[in-house]
Amino acid sequence: MVVIVGKLHVIGALLLQLRLRIAFVLPIVSHTSNNLGNGMRNSEEVTFGGSDLDRAAQLRGDGDAIAAMWADPATRVLPIWRGKPLVEDAAAIRLPVDHKIFKDANGSAIFLGLEAAGPVFAQDISGWTPAELNAEDMAQFFDPSQQQHPDLPQGQLFCELRAVMAQLNARDAELIATAKSLFDWHRTHRFCSTCGHESNMAMAGWQRDCPSCSRKHFPRTDPVVIMLITHGNSVLLGRSPRWPDGMYSLLAGFVEPGETIEAAVRREVFEEAGVRVGPVDYLASQPWPYPSSLMFGCRGAALTDEITIDPVEIEDALWVSREEMLDVFAGTHPVIKPARIGAIAHFILQHWLADRLD
């Protein structure tokens, strides 16, 4: 009995020490604690938010299956020209595999997946050069030009994706975003990063293999945090010096190696605007094919409202009240233009205004 009682006293003392430690630690952690739950209930309604496409990844390495699908009369192909999709009335155009437009194809087609009507591929036809091409327009942040291929009916045009992304249905948006990102990756990752030899497209476009050192390379997706930082009734906006006049958005930045999403939110906001951030919540995500990022939409509570910008990172940052943001969305604000419809920044700000971030 004496031994048992002695042990109970020891256990009780240890529990008391543990409670004291917890009592001292929790107040400190709570200033930077997180609540990364399931995000917004309607998070997948964001543009490029997905359409339950059957990507049929199990078929990518099956050469016979890919050949059979390519020979299937039901198979359709999405043409992509220099990153622009082919659309008509805000709908993606699917063409048969033997359409003469594909005489200008650059490389092999990419298998995107299976639709109810049949297999879907994408083909890059950037080898085609339009008779009239405005290089200045194409070099702008937003390319307003449209290209009419001579082998296509009038009205079927290659358009800047930003111009039509919000009008596309979920399936077309997913297919186009996937194709654009993959073709950009193939264009910029032609050579093996291990030995420098030119690699070859493999796995129906979802891999590159080096014939020299046998290294396999996979499509790159860059994680980016974009955050709704609030202080009271105001939200923090910033702008890059490269953006068009009046364009402001939520602060954003790349997640660094060895860094969590929460830590990236706090670091980026402090680096760009000098504002310390406390708790961070996850809201929604969005594939962003410019060229290939995955945007993690978060919200954070600012601990201070004093702004000190890093001019290397951003040109300006400011707090915008909810009332002012209503003017921004109405297009009546004297300085700030509305966020582009289709971008996750617009999606999050719209729901913040409506108090629907749950």
Side-chain angles (χ1 to χ4, degrees), residues 29-46:
V29 175
S30 64
H31 289 296
T32 57
S33 63
N34 312 300
N35 184 26
L36 290 190
N38 296 324
M40 300 165 61
R41 283 177 291 181
N42 62 342
S43 60
E44 291 184 280
E45 293 178 9
V46 68

Side-chain angles (χ1 to χ4, degrees), residues 83-148:
K84 293 185 176 186
L86 180 65
V87 297
E88 182 177 22
D89 297 329
I93 300 299
R94 297 157 171 77
L95 300 175
V97 299
D98 59 352
H99 195 285
K100 55 185 178 181
I101 195 176
F102 297 123
K103 67 180 183 296
D104 297 310
N106 286 26
S108 301
I110 294 174
F111 174 57
L112 298 179
L114 300 174
E115 291 191 294
V120 183
F121 288 75
Q123 182 70 71
D124 182 13
I125 64 158
S126 297
W128 167 61
T129 301
E132 297 181 3
L133 190 62
N134 190 322
E136 291 186 5
D137 280 348
M138 295 193 64
Q140 293 183 36
F141 179 83
F142 176 82
D143 176 9
S145 67
Q146 299 178 337
Q147 285 71 39
Q148 173 73 60

Side-chain angles (χ1 to χ4, degrees), residues 70-213:
W70 191 253
D72 186 344
T75 295
R76 289 296 178 265
V77 184
L78 271 67
I80 303 290
W81 179 80
R82 303 189 187 183
K84 293 185 176 186
L86 180 65
V87 297
E88 182 177 22
D89 297 329
I93 300 299
R94 297 157 171 77
L95 300 175
V97 299
D98 59 352
H99 195 285
K100 55 185 178 181
I101 195 176
F102 297 123
K103 67 180 183 296
D104 297 310
N106 286 26
S108 301
I110 294 174
F111 174 57
L112 298 179
L114 300 174
E115 291 191 294
V120 183
F121 288 75
Q123 182 70 71
D124 182 13
I125 64 158
S126 297
W128 167 61
T129 301
E132 297 181 3
L133 190 62
N134 190 322
E136 291 186 5
D137 280 348
M138 295 193 64
Q140 293 183 36
F141 179 83
F142 176 82
D143 176 9
S145 67
Q146 299 178 337
Q147 285 71 39
Q148 173 73 60
H149 196 285
D151 293 330
L152 293 171
Q154 290 295 315
Q156 293 186 0
L157 302 166
F158 289 100
C159 301
E160 164 67 62
L161 180 54
R162 287 184 178 92
V164 296
M165 61 183 180
Q167 288 78 48
L168 296 169
N169 64 43
R171 174 55 53 79
D172 286 354
E174 181 176 357
L175 289 170
I176 291 171
T178 303
K180 183 181 183 305
S181 292
L182 284 171
F183 283 131
D184 279 336
W185 174 69
H186 284 293
R187 179 177 57 83
T188 57
H189 291 73
R190 283 177 52 202
F191 297 93
C192 177
S193 59
T194 300
C195 70
H197 196 282
E198 185 168 7
S199 58
N200 302 317
M201 185 186 290
M203 294 291 289
W206 291 85
Q207 186 173 304
R208 293 192 71 88
D209 294 345
C210 179
S212 178
C213 70

Side-chain angles (χ1 to χ4, degrees), residues 261-276:
I261 292 173
E262 306 94 307
V265 168
R266 297 191 185 96
R267 175 184 56 78
E268 283 289 341
V269 175
F270 184 72
E271 285 179 357
E272 295 185 348
V275 174
R276 293 291 186 183

Side-chain angles (χ1 to χ4, degrees), residues 218-257:
F218 303 94
R220 172 175 175 166
T221 297
D222 299 317
V224 177
V225 287
I226 181 166
M227 37 278 181
L228 178 87
I229 304 301
T230 57
H231 190 273
N233 195 43
S234 298
V235 62
L236 182 61
L237 299 184
R239 62 170 276 107
S240 166
R242 298 179 297 276
W243 289 355
D245 291 342
M247 181 177 176
Y248 281 76
S249 186
L250 301 177
L251 299 187
F254 290 101
V255 180
E256 294 185 345

